[in-house]
Amino acid sequence: MDLILLGAPGAGKGTQGSRLAETLGIPKVATGDILRESVREKTPLGLKAKEYMDAGELVPDEVILGLVHDALASPAAENGVIFDGFPRNVKQAEDLGRILEKAGRRVDGVIVLEVPDDAIVERMSGRRTDPDTGLVYHVVHNPPPAEVAGRVIQRADDHEDTVRHRLKVYAEQTAPLISFYEREGAVVSRVDGTREINEVQAEILRVLRP
Ligand code: AP5
């Protein structure tokens, strides 16, 4: 099963993607996580991506497509993946369609997490990430356990100005994918992402397994 998690920055794609990956037993491919790891390791890819990420801009498509090709070539991905943060524009969606088609696969579902902009800004300011596991927490809504709390970090692109710019980029380049997939005839399910994390998860599972 190949699933896409769509939603604005901070809508909960990473949080729900990790839970879904565990529940469904298929890997999550999160382009943002892969890019951040490359930035931390100062690889040529990371050095190239960093300036775009810090500015809240999309990293060039050819860089992202290389990452996705590599991720899909992994044996773990042969029964499907959960895409988190990809595709991000129509060009990426068209390329993904071609890659999956060559493998005899297609996008089986698109989950759209809907959260208003003001709630997003509050979430981003409280977000903390465990650099060891990549798990995402929030200081109020999902606090890290005591043994993890000392090492969590705040993302460089979570400052309010950058978050507002990322929301603009989302509205202009990524939100049009909702109608793109509806036109393609994919199953597109809109989920209220403002509810409590476990409730959002239950709703996603309900739409996937009606
Ligand atoms: P990326 O890492 O993909 O970031 P994003 O899409 O902006 O999304 P986030 O990771 O910020 O949020 P999320 O939806 O995963 O929310 P989360 O679960 O963390 O991309 C970063 C950058 O990389 C981009 O700006 C771009 O430069 C580049 N990039 C990545 N992919 C690319 C691509 N395909 N093409 C080009 N460039 C690309 O939740 C947020 C917070 O809210 C957390 O603290 C969480 O604990 C909390 N929370 C989650 N759910 C709830 C809830 N239901 N109630 C209360 N709090 C909640």
Side-chain angles (χ1 to χ4, degrees):
M1 178 186 276
D2 288 291
L3 285 177
I4 293 174
L5 285 175
L6 261 187
K13 304 180 297 296
T15 302
Q16 297 299 335
S18 298
R19 289 171 174 230
L20 261 186
E22 202 178 322
T23 307
L24 301 178
I26 52 178
K28 178 179 82 158
V29 172
T31 43
D33 290 351
I34 300 171
L35 290 169
R36 276 185 291 281
E37 197 180 329
S38 306
V39 170
R40 270 197 302 279
E41 290 174 357
K42 297 192 169 61
T43 65
L45 166 73
L47 295 173
K48 184 169 180 187
K50 186 177 185 317
E51 60 183 291
Y52 294 95
M53 297 173 78
D54 286 350
E57 296 290 345
L58 295 185
V59 172
D61 293 337
E62 64 275 12
V63 173
I64 299 296
L65 283 167
L67 299 181
V68 171
H69 256 289
D70 291 351
L72 285 174
S74 149
E78 64 188 15
N79 293 323
V81 300
I82 297 161
F83 292 101
D84 159 8
F86 175 87
R88 221 43 176 236
N89 56 30
V90 170
K91 163 88 172 65
Q92 292 184 9
E94 289 172 344
D95 286 336
L96 174 63
R98 279 190 283 273
I99 297 171
L100 289 177
E101 197 178 355
K102 272 192 199 153
R105 288 154 60 172
R106 64 187 166 90
V107 172
D108 294 299
V110 179
I111 307 283
V112 184
L113 291 172
E114 298 184 312
V115 179
D117 287 3
D118 286 343
I120 295 281
V121 174
E122 188 271 337
R123 282 186 185 186
M124 305 299 233
S125 60
R127 170 163 56 188
R128 299 293 182 272
T129 306
D130 180 350
D132 289 1
T133 63
L135 288 176
V136 173
Y137 299 95
H138 188 281
V139 290
V140 176
H141 308 301
N142 182 22
E147 64 276 18
V148 172
R151 64 171 186 252
V152 293
I153 52 170
Q154 186 167 21
R155 269 172 51 175
D157 58 350
D158 273 354
H159 299 289
E160 183 167 344
D161 285 356
T162 316
V163 170
R164 295 221 180 258
H165 184 68
R166 287 162 62 199
L167 286 168
K168 187 166 170 276
V169 171
Y170 174 78
E172 289 171 357
Q173 300 197 45
T174 311
L177 291 182
I178 300 170
S179 47
F180 171 89
Y181 280 115
E182 283 170 344
R183 280 196 306 276
E184 293 269 297
V187 179
V188 178
S189 308
R190 293 164 192 261
V191 170
D192 177 0
T194 63
R195 288 154 53 185
E196 198 270 319
I197 292 173
N198 289 329
E199 290 175 20
V200 177
Q201 183 184 8
E203 177 64 10
I204 293 175
L205 290 175
R206 196 189 63 72
V207 300
L208 290 176
R209 300 168 172 163

